[in-house]
Each structure stands twice: as structure tokens, then as C-alpha cells.
Amino acid sequence: MKKYNFNAGPSMLPREVIEATAAQCLDFNGSGLSLMEISHRAKDFQPVVDEAVALFKELLSIPEGYSVIFLGGGASLEFCMIPYNFLEKKAAYLNTGVWAKKAMKEAKLFGEVVEVASSAEATYTYIPKDYTIPADADYFHITTNNTIYGTEIRKDLDSPVPVIADMSSDIFSRPIDVSKYGMIYGGAQKNLAMAGVTFVIVRDDMLGKVSRQIPTMLDYRTHVEKGSMFNTPPVVPIYSALETLRWIKRNGGVEAMDKLAKQRAEIVYGEIDRNKLFHGTANVEDRSLMNLCFVMNEEYKELEKDFLDFAMKERGMVGIKGHRSVGGFRASCYNAQTIEGCEALVACMKEFEAKH
Ligand SMILES: *Cc1c(COP(=O)(O)O)cnc(C)c1O
């Protein structure tokens, strides 16, 4: 049975990326050594980082004055590094889900945190829109795609203070105006690479403004100055990111990714809205194009487990169980997700409907 991967993260990557990375793990650039066993200082590895950085800049049209770095520790470590490096007195946060809340929790260790708005009272089913960003905040933190709840801020917000965005689960899925952000970051394992590397795009003039001492490894300047080579970087994950970036470029860049994301979403949300068994959980105008969340309608609730069993065991739909805090189902459709995969999911939903 063919498997369709709807995992939320780590998640589906293009087959070509996996094969090219696997090949380099066996023999890196014809050296007779594995990518896993070479020094990150080897002259062959520097070009990998250089090309990955160059492709970040090219694909996202990153303007002058920004640095791209690769770190360990996941997006979760950024939750702490951000206030460490940027919070002098006060920071503003938009609370759109569990990840946003976790980011706020760390920031509170460093200074005053203003929650400008929250959709917690509605299980984060929408993106708050009417709020004021305090003009004296050091930055405004947002989570552009709420992986668990299936909501997304799919545009670049205006703000009187630098916007810092967690784009773990929607980076490279649409063109972004990087000049509207002080920093963009994310764990790579949703839409970019295998697990193990975090990307950071930071505006250089944001750095070095706080008065506190910052431990060397937690100071963004260390990694900017050393081009992600201060200590041993996650070599294989960075390589897999490079292969994905090349794949995005070969396939038409972020404009093409955006178009595909819209096509996939139309197919899957179209069926969620049509099918009498299901309904979507997120506010329609805030629906994520990356994580499509839906549940069984009240009168069919008892069929939830049957549908999961049918979809997963009999039709090869992997990872469509919703996050435990939302329940139901979640079809994650990152860049690598195919139209064929979405159509297979729709066929499976229709088939199940016909049986009931
Ligand atoms: C998965 C996820 C995280 C956590 O990423 P880690 O790399 O596991 O720390 C943070 N933010 C968002 C939006 C996520 O989807």
C-alpha cells in the first residue's frame, strides 16, 4: 500500500532531497568519506553552508543588512535566546497557541511581557486582529503558523517595533517581505530539512543592544561573526536543508510553493466543507495552508476512531491524527506534499462518507 505522509513534524520531504542526502552520507562529493564523518572545517563543507545561506537570501529576497545562521537547539531554544538578546525592558507577544505561549514563558524570565491579544479562550481557533502593539516594546513576537491549531498569519504585519516571527511551519511556503521583520526563525523539521537544525534570519542592527551579559553560545553575534561555525554545526541536517533549497529553486521558488499550497488547500478544505461527516476547526479566514485541521461532526462523533483506522491502516494516510489538544484530524501539507496525496486523502474521505 502506498503511504501518504501527513505528519506535522518532522514531516514529509521531497524524495529527491532524501535520496541526495543519503547519497552524500555514503560518499561525500566523491571523497570516499561519509558526510557524517568529515570535519565541518573540511574545505568541502564550507561551500555547503555558503550555498545554503546564498539560497536563503535568493529565495526569500532577503535585503542587505540581514544575516542567515544555522543553530542547534530547535525553535524552542530561540524562545529563550530571543529575549536574552533583545529584551531590555518590555516585549509584546501575540498569543496564538501553545508555541506562542512557550515563547512568552521564556521571555518573562528576562523582563516585562505584554500579551497584546490571545485566542486561548476559543482554543486558538482564530488569529486575533484588533490589538495595539506598545510602541515602547523592544520587539513584537508572532507565530505565523500555528501548527497545532491550523491557523496562520499568511501576510506580513505592520508594526511600530521590530517583528520577530516563529516561521517553523510555514517558512518557504510563500514570498515574504523580510524587510518587515527584525528576525525570522524556526526549527527546520517542518518544511525545510530533517530534524536537528534551526534557521535564523536576523537584521544585524538588532544585535548588541541589550545591556545584560549573554553567554557566548546564546549570543547571536557569536554565530553571525563565525558564519554558523563557532562550534560544530549539525552537518547532515544543514546538508539536507541545502538540498531542499535547491529543490525549491528548481521548482519555481516560493511563488510556486505558494501557488501549490493554495491548490492543495483548496482540494482538502473543499472536501472538509462538502463532506457531511466533517467540519474544519479553524476560523475560515485564518485557516492554515500548512496544517489543515478538521473533526467529525457531532452526530458522527462515534465514527472518529473508525475513520482513523480506515484512513491509516487501509488507505495509507500517515499522521492524520489531530494533536491531542484539538482532537480529530490534521492533514499537514507542507511544500513536499503532492496534489496526488491530497486527492488520495479526499478520495478516502469520500469513500468513508459513502459507507456511512
Ligand atoms: C514545532 C514547532 C516549534 C518547536 O520546534 P522545536 O524545533 O522542536 O523546538 C516551535 N514553533 C512552531 C510554530 C512549531 O511548529
Side-chain angles (χ1 to χ4, degrees), residues 236-310:
V236 181
I238 291 175
Y239 186 84
S240 70
L242 169 61
E243 284 296 345
T244 304
L245 294 163
R246 287 175 174 166
W247 177 88
I248 295 170
K249 184 171 171 175
R250 279 200 302 281
N251 286 281
V254 287
E255 287 80 10
M257 297 299 124
D258 185 34
K259 215 170 129 202
L260 266 173
K262 286 171 180 152
Q263 281 171 9
R264 285 189 303 256
E266 205 175 297
I267 294 169
V268 177
Y269 281 128
E271 177 60 16
I272 293 170
D273 293 340
R274 186 211 60 80
N275 194 306
K276 71 170 192 292
L277 303 180
F278 306 101
H279 70 268
T281 50
N283 185 18
V284 172
E285 67 171 13
D286 300 322
R287 277 176 167 178
S288 167
L289 301 195
M290 300 285 103
N291 311 97
L292 292 66
C293 296
F294 55 108
V295 292
M296 222 117 214
N297 284 328
E298 240 2 276
E299 61 270 39
Y300 299 104
K301 253 320 185 239
E302 78 283 2
L303 292 176
E304 206 154 281
K305 191 173 171 306
D306 289 353
F307 177 67
L308 267 182
D309 280 348
F310 172 70

Coordinates of all heavy atoms in Angstrom, one line a residue, residues 236-310:
V236 N 24.8 17.1 8.8 CA 23.9 16.4 7.9 C 22.5 17.2 7.8 O 22.1 17.4 6.6 CB 23.7 15.0 8.3 CG1 22.7 14.2 7.4 CG2 25.0 14.2 8.4
P237 N 21.9 17.6 8.9 CA 20.7 18.4 8.7 C 20.9 19.7 7.8 O 20.0 20.0 7.0 CB 20.3 18.8 10.1 CG 20.9 17.7 11.0 CD 22.2 17.3 10.3
I238 N 22.0 20.4 8.0 CA 22.3 21.5 7.1 C 22.4 21.1 5.7 O 21.8 21.8 4.8 CB 23.6 22.3 7.5 CG1 23.4 23.0 8.9 CG2 24.0 23.3 6.5 CD1 24.6 23.6 9.5
Y239 N 23.0 20.0 5.4 CA 23.1 19.5 4.0 C 21.7 19.2 3.5 O 21.4 19.5 2.3 CB 24.0 18.2 3.9 CG 24.2 17.9 2.5 CD1 25.1 18.6 1.7 CD2 23.3 17.1 1.8 CE1 25.2 18.3 0.3 CE2 23.3 16.8 0.5 CZ 24.3 17.5 -0.3 OH 24.3 17.3 -1.6
S240 N 20.9 18.6 4.3 CA 19.5 18.3 3.8 C 18.7 19.5 3.5 O 17.9 19.6 2.6 CB 18.8 17.3 4.8 OG 18.4 18.0 6.0
A241 N 19.0 20.6 4.3 CA 18.3 21.9 4.1 C 18.8 22.4 2.7 O 18.0 22.9 1.9 CB 18.6 22.9 5.2
L242 N 20.1 22.3 2.5 CA 20.6 22.8 1.2 C 19.9 22.1 0.0 O 19.5 22.7 -1.0 CB 22.1 22.5 1.1 CG 22.7 22.7 -0.3 CD1 22.5 24.2 -0.8 CD2 24.2 22.4 -0.3
E243 N 19.7 20.7 0.1 CA 19.0 20.0 -0.9 C 17.6 20.5 -1.1 O 17.1 20.6 -2.2 CB 19.1 18.5 -0.7 CG 20.4 17.9 -1.0 CD 20.8 18.0 -2.5 OE1 20.0 18.3 -3.3 OE2 22.0 17.8 -2.8
T244 N 16.9 20.8 0.0 CA 15.5 21.3 -0.1 C 15.5 22.7 -0.8 O 14.7 23.0 -1.6 CB 14.9 21.4 1.3 OG1 14.9 20.1 1.9 CG2 13.4 21.8 1.1
L245 N 16.5 23.5 -0.4 CA 16.5 24.8 -1.0 C 16.8 24.8 -2.5 O 16.2 25.5 -3.3 CB 17.7 25.7 -0.4 CG 17.4 26.0 1.1 CD1 18.7 26.4 1.8 CD2 16.3 27.0 1.3
R246 N 17.7 23.8 -2.9 CA 17.9 23.6 -4.4 C 16.6 23.1 -5.0 O 16.3 23.5 -6.1 CB 19.0 22.6 -4.6 CG 20.4 23.1 -4.3 CD 21.3 21.9 -4.4 NE 22.7 22.3 -4.2 CZ 23.7 21.4 -4.0 NH1 23.5 20.1 -3.9 NH2 25.0 21.8 -3.9
W247 N 15.9 22.2 -4.3 CA 14.6 21.7 -4.9 C 13.6 22.8 -5.0 O 12.9 22.9 -6.1 CB 14.1 20.6 -3.9 CG 12.8 20.0 -4.3 CD1 12.6 18.9 -5.1 CD2 11.5 20.4 -3.8 NE1 11.3 18.6 -5.2 CE2 10.6 19.5 -4.4 CE3 11.1 21.4 -3.0 CZ2 9.2 19.6 -4.2 CZ3 9.7 21.5 -2.7 CH2 8.8 20.6 -3.3
I248 N 13.5 23.7 -4.1 CA 12.5 24.8 -4.1 C 12.9 25.7 -5.4 O 12.0 26.0 -6.1 CB 12.5 25.7 -2.9 CG1 12.0 24.9 -1.7 CG2 11.7 26.9 -3.0 CD1 12.2 25.5 -0.3
K249 N 14.2 25.9 -5.5 CA 14.6 26.8 -6.7 C 14.3 26.1 -8.0 O 13.7 26.7 -8.9 CB 16.1 27.1 -6.5 CG 16.6 28.0 -7.6 CD 18.0 28.5 -7.4 CE 18.4 29.2 -8.7 NZ 19.8 29.8 -8.6
R250 N 14.6 24.8 -8.1 CA 14.3 24.1 -9.3 C 12.8 24.1 -9.7 O 12.4 24.0 -10.8 CB 14.7 22.6 -9.2 CG 16.1 22.3 -9.4 CD 16.3 20.8 -9.7 NE 15.9 19.8 -8.7 CZ 16.5 19.5 -7.6 NH1 17.6 20.1 -7.3 NH2 16.0 18.6 -6.7
N251 N 12.0 24.1 -8.6 CA 10.6 24.0 -8.8 C 9.9 25.4 -8.8 O 8.7 25.4 -8.6 CB 10.0 23.1 -7.7 CG 10.3 21.6 -8.0 OD1 9.7 21.0 -8.9 ND2 11.3 21.1 -7.4
G252 N 10.6 26.4 -9.0 CA 9.9 27.7 -9.3 C 9.9 28.7 -8.1 O 9.2 29.7 -8.1
G253 N 10.7 28.4 -7.0 CA 10.8 29.3 -5.9 C 9.5 29.4 -5.0 O 8.6 28.6 -5.2
V254 N 9.6 30.4 -4.1 CA 8.5 30.5 -3.2 C 7.1 30.9 -3.8 O 6.1 30.6 -3.3 CB 8.8 31.4 -2.0 CG1 9.8 30.8 -1.0 CG2 9.3 32.8 -2.5
E255 N 7.2 31.6 -5.0 CA 5.9 31.9 -5.6 C 5.2 30.6 -6.0 O 4.0 30.4 -5.9 CB 6.1 32.8 -6.9 CG 6.5 34.2 -6.6 CD 8.0 34.4 -6.3 OE1 8.8 33.4 -6.4 OE2 8.4 35.5 -5.8
A256 N 6.0 29.7 -6.6 CA 5.4 28.4 -7.0 C 5.0 27.6 -5.8 O 3.9 26.9 -5.8 CB 6.4 27.6 -7.8
M257 N 5.7 27.7 -4.7 CA 5.3 27.0 -3.4 C 4.0 27.5 -2.9 O 3.1 26.7 -2.4 CB 6.4 27.1 -2.3 CG 7.7 26.5 -2.7 SD 7.7 24.7 -3.0 CE 8.4 24.6 -4.6
D258 N 3.8 28.8 -3.0 CA 2.6 29.5 -2.6 C 1.4 29.0 -3.4 O 0.3 28.7 -2.9 CB 2.8 31.0 -2.7 CG 1.6 31.8 -2.2 OD1 1.0 31.4 -1.2 OD2 1.3 32.9 -2.7
K259 N 1.6 28.9 -4.7 CA 0.6 28.5 -5.6 C 0.1 27.1 -5.3 O -1.1 26.8 -5.2 CB 1.1 28.6 -7.1 CG 0.0 29.0 -8.1 CD 0.7 29.4 -9.4 CE -0.1 28.6 -10.5 NZ 0.7 28.4 -11.7
L260 N 1.1 26.2 -5.1 CA 0.8 24.8 -4.8 C 0.1 24.7 -3.5 O -0.8 23.9 -3.3 CB 2.1 24.0 -4.7 CG 2.6 23.3 -6.0 CD1 4.0 22.8 -5.8 CD2 1.6 22.2 -6.3
A261 N 0.5 25.5 -2.5 CA -0.1 25.4 -1.2 C -1.6 25.8 -1.3 O -2.4 25.1 -0.7 CB 0.6 26.4 -0.2
K262 N -1.9 26.8 -2.1 CA -3.3 27.2 -2.3 C -4.1 26.1 -3.0 O -5.2 25.8 -2.7 CB -3.3 28.5 -3.1 CG -2.9 29.7 -2.2 CD -2.8 31.0 -3.0 CE -2.4 32.1 -2.0 NZ -1.6 33.1 -2.7
Q263 N -3.4 25.4 -4.0 CA -4.1 24.3 -4.7 C -4.4 23.2 -3.8 O -5.5 22.7 -3.7 CB -3.2 23.8 -5.8 CG -3.3 24.7 -7.1 CD -2.3 24.3 -8.1 OE1 -1.6 23.2 -8.0 NE2 -2.1 25.1 -9.1
R264 N -3.4 22.8 -3.0 CA -3.6 21.7 -2.0 C -4.7 22.0 -1.0 O -5.6 21.2 -0.8 CB -2.3 21.4 -1.2 CG -1.2 20.7 -2.0 CD -0.1 20.3 -1.1 NE 0.4 21.5 -0.3 CZ 1.6 22.1 -0.6 NH1 2.3 21.7 -1.6 NH2 2.0 23.1 0.1
A265 N -4.7 23.3 -0.5 CA -5.7 23.7 0.5 C -7.1 23.7 -0.1 O -8.0 23.3 0.6 CB -5.3 25.0 1.1
E266 N -7.2 24.1 -1.3 CA -8.5 24.1 -2.0 C -9.1 22.7 -2.1 O -10.3 22.5 -1.8 CB -8.3 24.8 -3.4 CG -9.6 25.4 -3.9 CD -9.3 26.1 -5.2 OE1 -8.5 27.0 -5.2 OE2 -9.9 25.7 -6.2
I267 N -8.2 21.8 -2.5 CA -8.7 20.4 -2.6 C -9.1 19.8 -1.3 O -10.2 19.3 -1.1 CB -7.5 19.5 -3.2 CG1 -7.2 20.0 -4.6 CG2 -7.9 18.0 -3.1 CD1 -5.9 19.3 -5.2
V268 N -8.3 20.0 -0.2 CA -8.6 19.4 1.0 C -9.7 20.1 1.8 O -10.7 19.5 2.3 CB -7.3 19.2 1.9 CG1 -7.7 18.6 3.3 CG2 -6.3 18.3 1.2
Y269 N -9.6 21.4 1.9 CA -10.7 22.2 2.6 C -12.0 22.1 1.9 O -13.1 22.0 2.5 CB -10.3 23.7 2.8 CG -9.3 24.0 3.9 CD1 -8.2 24.7 3.7 CD2 -9.6 23.5 5.2 CE1 -7.3 25.0 4.7 CE2 -8.7 23.8 6.2 CZ -7.5 24.5 6.0 OH -6.7 24.8 7.0
G270 N -11.9 22.0 0.5 CA -13.1 21.8 -0.3 C -13.9 20.6 0.2 O -15.1 20.6 0.3
E271 N -13.1 19.5 0.4 CA -13.8 18.3 0.8 C -14.2 18.3 2.2 O -15.3 17.9 2.6 CB -12.8 17.1 0.6 CG -13.4 15.7 1.0 CD -14.6 15.3 0.3 OE1 -15.0 15.9 -0.8 OE2 -15.3 14.4 0.8
I272 N -13.4 19.0 3.1 CA -13.9 19.1 4.5 C -15.2 19.8 4.6 O -16.1 19.4 5.3 CB -12.8 19.9 5.3 CG1 -11.5 19.0 5.4 CG2 -13.3 20.2 6.7 CD1 -10.3 19.8 6.0
D273 N -15.3 20.9 3.8 CA -16.5 21.7 3.8 C -17.7 21.0 3.1 O -18.9 21.2 3.5 CB -16.3 23.0 3.1 CG -15.3 23.9 3.9 OD1 -15.1 23.6 5.1 OD2 -14.7 24.8 3.3
R274 N -17.4 20.1 2.1 CA -18.5 19.5 1.4 C -19.0 18.2 2.1 O -20.2 17.9 2.2 CB -18.0 19.0 0.0 CG -19.1 18.5 -0.9 CD -18.5 17.4 -1.9 NE -17.9 16.3 -1.2 CZ -18.6 15.3 -0.7 NH1 -19.9 15.2 -0.8 NH2 -17.9 14.3 -0.1
N275 N -18.1 17.5 2.7 CA -18.4 16.2 3.3 C -19.3 16.3 4.5 O -19.0 17.1 5.4 CB -17.1 15.5 3.7 CG -17.2 14.0 3.9 OD1 -18.1 13.6 4.7 ND2 -16.5 13.2 3.2
K276 N -20.4 15.5 4.5 CA -21.4 15.7 5.6 C -20.8 15.2 7.0 O -21.4 15.5 8.0 CB -22.7 14.9 5.3 CG -22.6 13.4 5.3 CD -24.0 12.8 5.2 CE -24.0 11.3 5.5 NZ -23.4 10.4 4.5
L277 N -19.7 14.4 7.0 CA -19.2 13.9 8.2 C -18.3 14.8 9.0 O -18.1 14.7 10.2 CB -18.4 12.6 7.9 CG -19.1 11.4 7.2 CD1 -18.1 10.3 7.0 CD2 -20.3 10.9 8.0
F278 N -17.7 15.8 8.2 CA -16.6 16.6 8.8 C -16.9 18.1 8.8 O -17.7 18.6 8.1 CB -15.3 16.4 8.0 CG -14.9 15.0 7.9 CD1 -15.1 14.3 6.7 CD2 -14.3 14.3 8.9 CE1 -14.7 13.0 6.5 CE2 -13.9 13.0 8.7 CZ -14.1 12.3 7.5
H279 N -16.2 18.8 9.7 CA -16.1 20.2 9.6 C -14.7 20.7 10.1 O -14.0 20.0 10.9 CB -17.2 21.0 10.3 CG -17.1 20.9 11.8 ND1 -17.7 20.0 12.6 CD2 -16.5 21.7 12.7 CE1 -17.5 20.2 13.9 NE2 -16.7 21.2 14.0
G280 N -14.3 21.8 9.5 CA -13.0 22.4 9.9 C -13.0 23.0 11.3 O -14.1 23.5 11.7
T281 N -11.9 23.1 12.0 CA -11.9 23.6 13.3 C -11.5 25.1 13.3 O -11.9 25.8 14.2 CB -11.0 22.9 14.3 OG1 -9.7 22.7 13.6 CG2 -11.5 21.5 14.6
A282 N -10.7 25.6 12.4 CA -10.2 26.9 12.4 C -11.2 27.9 11.8 O -11.9 27.5 10.8 CB -8.9 27.0 11.8
N283 N -11.2 29.1 12.3 CA -12.0 30.2 11.6 C -11.6 30.3 10.1 O -10.4 30.3 9.8 CB -11.5 31.5 12.4 CG -12.3 32.7 11.9 OD1 -13.3 32.6 11.3 ND2 -11.7 33.9 12.2
V284 N -12.5 30.3 9.2 CA -12.3 30.1 7.8 C -11.2 31.1 7.3 O -10.3 30.7 6.6 CB -13.6 30.2 7.0 CG1 -13.2 30.2 5.5 CG2 -14.4 29.0 7.3
E285 N -11.3 32.4 7.7 CA -10.4 33.4 7.1 C -8.9 33.2 7.7 O -8.0 33.8 7.2 CB -10.9 34.8 7.3 CG -10.9 35.3 8.7 CD -11.3 36.7 8.8 OE1 -11.6 37.3 7.8 OE2 -11.1 37.3 9.9
D286 N -8.8 32.5 8.8 CA -7.5 32.3 9.4 C -6.9 30.9 9.1 O -5.9 30.5 9.7 CB -7.6 32.5 10.9 CG -8.0 33.9 11.3 OD1 -7.6 34.8 10.6 OD2 -8.8 34.0 12.2
R287 N -7.6 30.1 8.3 CA -7.1 28.8 8.0 C -5.7 28.7 7.5 O -5.3 29.4 6.6 CB -8.1 28.1 7.0 CG -9.3 27.6 7.5 CD -10.2 27.1 6.4 NE -11.3 26.3 6.9 CZ -12.3 25.7 6.2 NH1 -12.2 25.9 4.9 NH2 -13.2 25.0 6.7
S288 N -5.0 27.7 8.1 CA -3.6 27.5 7.7 C -3.6 26.7 6.4 O -4.4 25.8 6.2 CB -2.9 26.7 8.8 OG -1.7 26.2 8.3
L289 N -2.6 27.1 5.5 CA -2.5 26.3 4.3 C -1.5 25.1 4.5 O -1.3 24.3 3.6 CB -2.0 27.2 3.1 CG -2.8 28.4 2.7 CD1 -2.3 28.9 1.4 CD2 -4.3 28.1 2.7
M290 N -0.9 25.1 5.7 CA 0.1 24.1 6.0 C -0.5 22.9 6.9 O -0.2 21.8 6.6 CB 1.2 24.7 6.8 CG 1.9 25.8 6.1 SD 3.0 25.2 4.8 CE 2.0 25.6 3.3
N291 N -1.3 23.2 7.9 CA -1.9 22.2 8.7 C -3.4 22.4 8.7 O -3.9 23.3 9.2 CB -1.4 22.4 10.2 CG 0.2 22.6 10.2 OD1 0.6 23.7 10.3 ND2 0.9 21.5 10.2
L292 N -4.0 21.4 8.1 CA -5.5 21.5 7.8 C -6.2 20.6 8.9 O -6.1 19.4 8.8 CB -5.8 21.1 6.4 CG -5.3 22.0 5.3 CD1 -3.8 22.1 5.2 CD2 -5.8 21.7 3.9
C293 N -6.8 21.3 9.8 CA -7.4 20.6 11.0 C -8.9 20.5 10.8 O -9.6 21.4 10.4 CB -7.1 21.4 12.3 SG -5.4 21.5 12.7
F294 N -9.4 19.3 11.1 CA -10.9 19.0 11.0 C -11.3 18.0 12.0 O -10.5 17.2 12.5 CB -11.3 18.7 9.6 CG -10.5 17.5 8.9 CD1 -11.2 16.3 8.7 CD2 -9.2 17.6 8.5 CE1 -10.5 15.2 8.1 CE2 -8.5 16.6 7.9 CZ -9.2 15.4 7.7
V295 N -12.6 18.0 12.3 CA -13.1 17.0 13.2 C -14.4 16.4 12.6 O -14.9 16.9 11.6 CB -13.5 17.6 14.6 CG1 -12.2 18.1 15.4 CG2 -14.4 18.8 14.4
M296 N -14.9 15.4 13.3 CA -16.1 14.7 12.9 C -17.3 15.6 13.4 O -17.2 16.0 14.6 CB -16.2 13.3 13.4 CG -16.7 12.3 12.5 SD -15.5 11.1 12.1 CE -15.8 10.8 10.4
N297 N -18.3 15.8 12.6 CA -19.5 16.5 13.1 C -20.1 15.7 14.3 O -20.0 14.5 14.4 CB -20.5 16.6 12.0 CG -20.1 17.7 11.0 OD1 -19.5 18.7 11.3 ND2 -20.5 17.4 9.7
E298 N -20.7 16.5 15.2 CA -21.3 15.9 16.4 C -22.0 14.6 16.2 O -21.8 13.6 16.9 CB -22.2 17.0 17.1 CG -21.9 17.5 18.5 CD -20.6 17.0 19.1 OE1 -20.7 15.9 19.7 OE2 -19.6 17.7 19.1
E299 N -22.9 14.6 15.2 CA -23.8 13.4 15.1 C -23.0 12.2 14.6 O -23.5 11.1 14.6 CB -25.0 13.7 14.2 CG -24.7 14.2 12.8 CD -24.5 15.7 12.6 OE1 -23.9 16.3 13.5 OE2 -25.0 16.2 11.5
Y300 N -21.8 12.4 14.2 CA -21.0 11.2 13.7 C -19.7 11.0 14.6 O -18.9 10.2 14.2 CB -20.5 11.5 12.3 CG -21.6 11.6 11.3 CD1 -22.0 12.9 10.8 CD2 -22.3 10.5 10.8 CE1 -23.0 13.0 9.9 CE2 -23.4 10.6 9.9 CZ -23.7 11.9 9.5 OH -24.7 12.0 8.6
K301 N -19.7 11.7 15.7 CA -18.5 11.6 16.6 C -18.0 10.2 16.9 O -16.8 10.0 16.9 CB -18.9 12.3 18.0 CG -18.3 13.6 18.3 CD -16.9 13.9 18.0 CE -16.3 15.2 18.4 NZ -15.9 16.1 17.4
E302 N -18.9 9.3 17.0 CA -18.5 7.9 17.4 C -17.8 7.2 16.2 O -17.1 6.2 16.4 CB -19.7 7.1 17.9 CG -20.6 6.5 16.8 CD -21.6 7.6 16.2 OE1 -21.5 8.8 16.6 OE2 -22.4 7.2 15.4
L303 N -17.8 7.9 15.0 CA -17.0 7.3 13.9 C -15.6 7.7 13.8 O -14.8 7.2 12.9 CB -17.7 7.7 12.6 CG -19.1 7.1 12.3 CD1 -19.7 7.7 11.0 CD2 -19.1 5.6 12.2
E304 N -15.2 8.6 14.7 CA -13.8 9.2 14.6 C -12.7 8.1 14.6 O -11.9 8.1 13.7 CB -13.6 10.1 15.8 CG -12.6 11.2 15.5 CD -12.8 12.4 16.4 OE1 -13.7 13.2 16.0 OE2 -12.1 12.6 17.4
K305 N -12.8 7.2 15.5 CA -11.8 6.1 15.6 C -11.8 5.3 14.3 O -10.8 4.9 13.8 CB -11.9 5.3 16.8 CG -10.7 4.4 17.0 CD -10.7 3.7 18.3 CE -9.5 2.7 18.3 NZ -9.5 1.7 17.2
D306 N -13.1 5.0 13.8 CA -13.2 4.1 12.6 C -12.6 4.8 11.4 O -11.9 4.2 10.6 CB -14.7 3.9 12.3 CG -15.4 3.0 13.3 OD1 -14.6 2.4 14.1 OD2 -16.6 2.8 13.2
F307 N -12.8 6.1 11.3 CA -12.2 6.8 10.2 C -10.7 6.8 10.3 O -10.0 6.5 9.3 CB -12.7 8.3 10.1 CG -12.0 9.1 9.0 CD1 -12.3 8.7 7.7 CD2 -11.1 10.1 9.3 CE1 -11.7 9.4 6.6 CE2 -10.5 10.8 8.2 CZ -10.8 10.4 6.9
L308 N -10.1 7.0 11.5 CA -8.7 7.0 11.6 C -8.1 5.6 11.2 O -7.1 5.5 10.5 CB -8.3 7.3 13.1 CG -8.0 8.7 13.4 CD1 -7.6 8.8 14.9 CD2 -6.9 9.3 12.5
D309 N -8.8 4.6 11.7 CA -8.3 3.2 11.4 C -8.4 3.0 9.9 O -7.4 2.5 9.3 CB -9.2 2.2 12.1 CG -8.8 2.0 13.5 OD1 -7.7 2.5 13.9 OD2 -9.6 1.4 14.3
F310 N -9.5 3.4 9.3 CA -9.7 3.2 7.8 C -8.6 3.9 7.1 O -7.9 3.4 6.2 CB -11.1 3.6 7.4 CG -11.3 3.7 6.0 CD1 -11.4 2.5 5.2 CD2 -11.4 4.9 5.3 CE1 -11.6 2.5 3.9 CE2 -11.7 4.9 3.9 CZ -11.8 3.7 3.2

